[in-house]
């Protein structure tokens, strides 16, 4: 079975000058931007004239490493790198749909499904992964089958609701990859889920 990968919550470092010019000129620089969740990591810019460490959002350093970090205003960022930032593909979006002990979505998850559908229709070149999960009640084999049944049901519903031509992959993780770790034979509602990723 394939594994679900989530984007790491790390800094987004834009070496945008490299996207805009074929060679590193004296005005080329790297900018540290926050991750989508607002967290900020760090990058080290090492060039022919030195090395600089960026640890604050919107700080920058020349690509040759010659200058200490400097602040970049939103206006300057837009002026220098607006076209490159606009060309970035949208980040993946993740949704969790929960089930009762069978294959019926909870009322709250039906609301989430409607939001998911709206977000999916807003994307172009859509690729969707649907991964079914269960709690630990029952045998591993039965749970593998139940998780696949849930994932297939959601995939069919997405197609029926207006996403017939998207790339869609369906998997079962059964009782593996629990959202909430439990012992065997534990009914945990948060583990009875389908994870959907829009790319």
């Amino acid at each position: 079975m394939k594994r679900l990968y989530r984007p790491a919550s790390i800094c987004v470092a834009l070496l945008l000058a490299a996207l805009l010019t074929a060679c590193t000129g004296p005005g080329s620089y790297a900018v540290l931007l926050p991750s989508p969740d607002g967290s900020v990591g760090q990058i080290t810019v090492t060039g022919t004239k030195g090395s600089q460490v960026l640890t604050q959002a919107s700080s920058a350093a020349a690509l040759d490493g010659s200058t200490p970090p400097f602040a970049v205003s939103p206006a300057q960022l837009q002026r220098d790198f607006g076209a490159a930032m606009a060309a970035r593909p949208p980040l993946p979006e993740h949704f969790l749909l929960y089930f009762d002990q069978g294959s019926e979505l909870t009322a709250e998850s039906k609301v989430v499904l409607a939001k998911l559908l709206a977000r999916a229709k807003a994307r172009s070149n859509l690729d969707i992964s649907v991964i079914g999960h269960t709690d630990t009640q029952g045998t591993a084999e039965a749970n593998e089958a139940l998780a696949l049944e849930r994932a297939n049901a959601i995939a069919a519903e997405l197609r029926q609701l207006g996403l017939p031509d998207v790339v869609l992959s369906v998997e079962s993780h059964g009782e593996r990859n629990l959202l909430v770790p439990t012992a065997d034979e534990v009914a945990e509602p948060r583990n009875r889920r389908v994870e959907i990723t829009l790319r």
Side-chain angles (χ1 to χ4, degrees):
M1 299 294 169
K2 285 198 298 190
R3 192 172 214 143
L4 176 66
Y5 293 97
R6 291 189 174 89
S9 177
I10 59 173
C11 68
V12 178
L14 295 179
L15 297 178
L16 296 170
L19 297 174
L20 301 176
T21 177
C23 61
T24 304
S28 299
Y29 62 94
V31 179
L32 177 64
L33 297 180
S35 294
D37 67 1
S39 63
V40 179
Q42 76 174 36
I43 59 170
T44 301
V45 179
T46 302
T48 57
K49 297 183 179 179
S51 184
Q52 305 296 330
V53 178
L54 304 179
T55 59
Q56 295 182 346
S58 299
S59 62
L63 288 183
D64 64 5
S66 63
T67 61
F70 56 92
V72 177
S73 70
Q76 181 181 356
L77 190 66
Q78 187 61 37
R79 183 187 71 237
D80 292 344
F81 307 120
M85 291 189 302
R88 291 180 297 178
L91 293 171
E93 295 178 75
H94 305 281
F95 298 87
L96 293 176
L97 301 177
Y98 295 98
F99 291 79
D100 62 19
Q101 291 195 318
S103 293
E104 182 67 28
L105 280 176
T106 63
E108 296 83 4
S109 290
K110 289 177 182 176
V111 174
V112 173
L113 182 61
K115 290 178 184 173
L116 179 160
L117 187 64
R119 294 298 306 138
K121 287 182 176 180
R123 297 174 78 101
S124 59
N125 302 317
L126 183 60
D127 179 318
I128 303 176
S129 71
V130 181
I131 302 175
H133 299 268
T134 66
D135 59 24
T136 59
Q137 280 196 309
T139 67
E141 296 77 17
N143 284 332
E144 194 77 23
L146 177 57
L148 186 58
E149 179 184 326
R150 289 173 176 163
N152 279 327
I154 294 300
E157 190 158 356
L158 289 173
R159 291 195 187 285
Q160 208 170 29
L161 291 172
L163 300 175
D165 299 324
V166 300
V167 175
L168 203 148
S169 66
V170 178
E171 301 174 46
S172 170
H173 285 195
E175 60 183 52
R176 296 171 287 126
N177 300 325
L178 299 172
L179 188 62
V180 179
T182 68
D184 198 24
E185 295 299 329
V186 174
E188 172 51 63
R190 290 169 293 176
N191 287 333
R192 297 190 299 262
R193 71 199 189 281
V194 165
E195 296 184 7
I196 300 173
T197 303
L198 307 179
R199 292 183 199 83

